[in-house]
Each structure stands twice: as structure tokens, then as C-alpha cells.
Amino acid sequence: MKRSIVLIAFLLAGCSRPQVPAGLIAEPGTYPSPSGQWVLDVSRGEKTIVQYAITNIQSGVAFRPEHDFSEVQRWAFFWESDSRLWCHSSDIGTSLWILDENAVWAQHWLTSDSKYGKEIPDTLFRFLPSSARRMGADTNDTGDSSKPAGGNDQ
């Protein structure tokens, strides 16, 4: 009986979401960009699916991803600026939404050879699981691969 209780406690502790740093978006809701020109709408769909859209406040034009993700996995968003929104899901990966000069959002996936891996803001980087941290980490002059070069919060 005692072993069962200990095993259940370990399982529950392993399934809990990590503490979310200030500045990260990790709950459904509506979150404005730094200037308020855009909003990120995050909602729960059917079967614990996280859905989201980036909407222009003035025009109402919304940009949606091709893939939703599971709310059971670790996930978060981070507004780096009005033209850059980071998205991480342990379910499908990490991406950076970039607004172009025509007011169109494009999603860029971080892969092992992605130039954006070196730009992950500190706040998001600390939230990532170790496997995703390695994706963006680059060994710097000190030999420290714990943080990608150039990643920062603004």
C-alpha cells in the first residue's frame, strides 16, 4: 500500500505543468501585443486541443496555424514585439511567427539548422524542455551550451 501511494505521488508530480515564468502565455485567453494592434486568442477546442489565432484589432483579419496542439503537453506563447510571436508546444515543436511589411504573419519552425534558434528570448528558453533547448543552443566561446547566443527578452 505504501509503495502504491509513493508511486502515485511520483506519477502525479511528473505530469504537472512546470511553473510558467512571468511574461509567458500558458492559459486560454486574449492577449494583446505590446502596442495592442494585434491580439492572440488562445482557446481550448474539443478533446483538450489548444487553438489560437493572431488577429488585427482594426481590420479583424485573423491568422491561424495549420496545426493545433494538445493542452496536455507543455506549451506557451511569448510576444517578443508587435511583429514577433513565439510559440512552443512539446507536442509539435517551437515556431516563431513574424509579421511582414504587408501585415501578413508567417510561421517559421525551429529546426536543428534554423537561424531563429539563436534568437529565442530568455523567458521562453528557460521554459523549454531540455530537448527543445538543445535545438536552439549553440556552444559559445565559453563552451556553455545552456543558452543560445543572441537570445534575449525585450
Side-chain angles (χ1 to χ4, degrees):
M1 178 68 171
K2 199 173 197 179
R3 278 189 181 178
S4 296
I5 292 172
V6 171
L7 179 60
I8 290 171
F10 278 122
L11 289 174
L12 290 175
C15 294
S16 65
R17 281 181 60 90
Q19 185 172 353
V20 178
L24 287 188
I25 298 164
E27 293 292 329
T30 301
Y31 302 92
S33 65
S35 73
Q37 179 181 0
W38 298 89
V39 294
L40 171 66
D41 291 307
V42 182
S43 63
R44 285 187 177 100
E46 293 182 27
K47 300 181 182 178
T48 67
I49 298 296
V50 174
Q51 300 171 323
Y52 68 97
I54 307 166
T55 305
N56 183 298
I57 291 293
Q58 293 178 350
S59 69
V61 172
F63 296 87
R64 291 178 174 71
E66 290 183 24
H67 308 286
D68 297 326
F69 50 85
S70 170
E71 78 169 339
V72 177
Q73 302 293 323
R74 183 184 303 202
W75 63 270
F77 296 91
F78 181 74
W79 279 113
E80 181 178 359
S81 68
D82 275 352
S83 61
R84 292 169 62 104
L85 175 68
W86 291 87
C87 173
H88 171 74
S89 164
S90 293
D91 194 16
I92 61 172
T94 304
S95 64
L96 171 61
W97 286 87
I98 298 177
L99 181 66
D100 70 16
E101 63 278 353
N102 298 314
V104 175
W105 287 93
Q107 189 174 25
H108 303 271
W109 289 97
L110 272 65
T111 60
S112 59
D113 61 348
S114 172
K115 68 179 182 180
Y116 299 112
K118 296 176 182 176
E119 300 177 16
I120 299 171
D122 291 339
T123 301
L124 180 61
F125 186 79
R126 288 189 304 266
F127 178 76
L128 297 176
S130 60
S131 59
R133 286 183 185 183
R134 284 191 300 274
M135 179 85 59
D138 201 32
T139 302
N140 61 26
D141 294 337
T142 64
D144 178 14
S145 63
S146 64
K147 176 71 180 80
N152 57 28
D153 293 346
Q154 296 191 3

